[in-house]
Amino acid sequence: MACFIHADIDAFYASVEQLDHPGYRGKPVIVGGLPSDKRSVVSTASYEARSFGVHSAMPIFQAYKLCPGGIFLRGNMGRYKEKSQEVLAVFSDFSPDVKAISIDEAFIDITGTERLFGPPETLAKNLKERVLRKTGLVVSLGLASNKYIAKIASGMSKPDGLYIIPPGGEEGFMRSLRVNKIWGAGRKSQELFKKYGLKTGEDIYALPKEKLTLIFGKAFGLFLYRAVRGEAAAAFDDDRGSHSISSERTFPHDLYDEFTIETVLFDICQDLMFRLYTNNLQGRTIFIKIRYDDFHTESARETYPYPVVSMNELFEFLRLLFQKKYKPGRRVRLLGAGLSNLEPENHSRQNELFEMINEKERKLEKHILEINTKYPHAALKRGRSWLIDK
DNA sequence: TCTGGGGTCCTAGGACCC
DNA sequence: TCTGGGGTCCTAGGACCC
């Protein structure tokens, strides 16, 4: 019988800060931005902060109103990644099959580890204990025969939770579940649950497949139909590589000057190209995203027969796309761009001469991007002319 | 003073081909 | 003369996740 653990670090970013700064312990810590950062939102709130009503995705100004005495921090991703690795390393002591699904969550396949580590419950308790001892962090665990249910289970008794669905109990668990606990059903779906008077898994169970797909759409309707029957959702099962990369900026104040906006676009381009290079990827589809001051958001994309080959090209293509989409004079609060249709580098079918010229350009760019990334204040970053004028 | 950033997947409609 | 059906690729927008 398969057995999976879903592990979730409690209030991850805030917990790391409290670990690193003893003075923060026992106090409301809010990671995401300073009170003066007008357009930031909360990434993580410590449980002390949550008792004031502060939660993830809440605008910082609102969190500040609820909890003016809180410790507000912008956060330190590098440090969080480091701690994440430490925790994953402990997971690996218990199973060779550990899959991180985000910086603070992982699935651990403990199928067939009974002889080594004892029954699942014993393993789980030992794992929690060892994570705490070795990293100082608290994890909540869910155990079940499939990943989807383990994922829901880990959220059932947070913080410091351990929730086990015994084999055979999957359907019963899902049918008794309140709909707000269904993973994959967000705000819009919750509205639909309410509209149709669906309060628990049992209510969904009672509906025929056709009715569900009518209400929720084909894919999600079918997903729900299977989920409440305790069947494993395919959502976590495939090993999906990277399909797209993107970068976006929300400005402290709306922008409407095209040159200024395009300078930001250039900066985003450097970001994207650097990440493409360091991961040895190429992309055939480029896209931009514009959010106006009224929050109305538009996007545009374009697919080319060959991958974008250089920073120069990427910027020119993105700029054209931007000019095609942008309504001059309108105030822009966010600009984003990215690439999809990604593939490993050098899979393009260009002729050799072109490839050679290209290689030179790419090498130069790689160096420049490296310098700009290592030393963000270096002179190279100041002007965007070094590429445009070439 | 509203509403981050980095992703994935789904839908609906259009173009195009056989 | 009043128009099929399937497959694939593409675009724009939206839901959802952490």
Side-chain angles (χ1 to χ4, degrees):
Chain A
M1 173 58 105
C3 188
F4 293 95
I5 293 179
H6 177 261
D8 200 323
I9 309 171
D10 294 333
F12 181 43
Y13 299 168
S15 299
V16 174
E17 296 297 341
Q18 288 176 323
L19 204 59
D20 290 349
H21 306 91
Y24 296 171
R25 294 178 196 169
K27 294 187 178 151
V29 172
I30 294 145
V31 181
L34 307 181
S36 54
D37 296 337
K38 293 295 174 223
R39 288 178 167 176
S40 296
V41 300
V42 176
S43 291
T44 315
S46 71
Y47 279 89
E48 295 86 350
R50 291 182 200 192
S51 69
F52 287 84
V54 177
H55 58 78
S56 297
M58 173 184 278
I60 287 285
F61 77 88
Q62 211 175 316
Y64 184 67
K65 270 207 308 207
L66 291 170
C67 188
I71 296 159
F72 288 82
L73 303 166
R74 286 194 174 142
N76 179 353
M77 279 312 291
R79 176 64 180 145
Y80 306 150
K81 279 181 187 158
E82 217 173 79
K83 289 304 282 185
S84 176
Q85 289 304 115
E86 283 180 30
V87 175
L88 286 174
V90 177
F91 294 165
S92 300
D93 291 344
F94 292 86
S95 163
D97 192 352
V98 175
K99 280 212 183 67
I101 55 168
S102 74
I103 194 165
D104 66 341
E105 276 178 83
F107 286 112
I108 309 162
D109 186 349
I110 60 161
T111 308
T113 60
E114 193 129 2
R115 267 195 317 156
L116 228 55
F117 297 109
E121 184 168 1
T122 307
L123 183 154
K125 284 179 178 161
N126 288 333
L127 186 141
K128 279 168 69 76
E129 190 274 326
R130 194 184 301 195
V131 170
L132 181 61
R133 183 157 45 81
K134 286 208 161 180
T135 72
L137 294 166
V138 177
V139 288
S140 288
L141 304 182
L143 269 78
S145 65
N146 74 60
K147 290 181 183 177
Y148 179 71
I149 293 182
K151 163 81 182 157
I152 294 179
S154 72
M156 296 301 286
S157 57
K158 275 186 189 178
D160 200 9
L162 172 56
Y163 200 97
I164 300 173
I165 284 97
E170 296 84 3
E171 186 180 306
F173 172 72
M174 289 305 298
R175 285 170 71 168
S176 66
L177 200 64
R178 301 200 63 80
V179 292
N180 63 2
K181 296 280 186 188
I182 293 177
W183 187 91
R187 199 172 48 87
K188 292 286 175 183
S189 299
Q190 296 300 332
E191 280 170 22
L192 287 172
F193 288 143
K194 200 168 177 185
K195 181 176 166 190
Y196 289 94
L198 308 170
K199 295 189 177 68
T200 66
E202 191 66 50
D203 300 333
I204 297 171
Y205 187 89
L207 295 181
K209 209 183 274 182
E210 296 70 28
K211 178 91 179 171
L212 284 174
T213 50
L214 211 63
I215 298 173
F216 297 99
K218 202 173 165 190
F220 191 58
L222 221 55
F223 172 86
L224 286 174
Y225 181 85
R226 287 205 265 260
V228 294
R229 281 162 180 77
E231 290 169 32
F236 301 112
D237 282 347
D238 29 324
D239 245 329
R240 307 161 300 196
S242 168
H243 291 159
S244 73
I245 64 164
S246 64
S247 179
E248 61 187 55
R249 316 246 196 281
T250 294
F251 313 127
H253 303 285
D254 298 336
L255 299 180
Y256 45 86
D257 170 63
E258 272 189 63
F259 185 81
T260 311
I261 298 173
E262 284 180 9
T263 302
V264 176
L265 185 62
F266 182 78
D267 199 57
I268 289 171
C269 255
Q270 290 199 63
D271 238 52
L272 293 171
M273 215 57 207
F274 181 76
R275 283 160 61 195
L276 237 38
Y277 282 147
T278 49
N279 293 295
N280 296 311
L281 291 170
Q282 295 177 323
R284 281 173 53 230
T285 302
I286 64 164
F287 60 87
I288 57 149
K289 174 173 160 185
I290 304 171
R291 175 122 75 211
Y292 293 103
D293 58 343
D294 61 357
F295 223 71
H296 174 76
T297 306
E298 290 180 355
S299 66
R301 68 183 81 171
E302 202 152 22
T303 300
Y304 298 97
Y306 302 109
V308 174
V309 292
S310 68
M311 166 89 196
N312 211 17
E313 196 175 66
L314 180 62
F315 181 57
E316 286 312 317
F317 286 172
L318 284 174
R319 199 156 66 130
L320 286 175
L321 208 54
F322 172 77
Q323 285 167 352
K324 205 153 83 178
K325 195 76 183 179
Y326 178 58
K327 302 181 182 74
R330 284 195 66 183
R331 304 173 71 86
V332 178
R333 70 170 281 139
L334 173 148
L335 180 68
L339 296 101
S340 59
N341 260 321
L342 298 182
E343 60 181 34
E345 221 177 65
N346 293 328
H347 273 216
S348 50
R349 292 154 291 175
Q350 295 145 350
N351 70 55
E352 283 179 26
L353 178 65
F354 188 53
E355 191 62 59
M356 261 174 56
I357 295 167
N358 227 305
E359 241 353 88
K360 280 178 101 173
E361 193 179 341
R362 290 165 72 87
K363 269 192 185 137
L364 172 69
E365 284 184 8
K366 278 187 201 190
H367 280 122
I368 294 169
L369 288 170
E370 230 169 292
I371 291 167
N372 279 344
T373 307
K374 274 191 196 152
Y375 311 101
H377 302 296
L380 277 174
K381 182 143 182 166
R382 261 207 321 258
R384 60 183 206 190
S385 55
W386 61 274
L387 278 177
I388 305 168
D389 294 345
K390 246 187 338 200

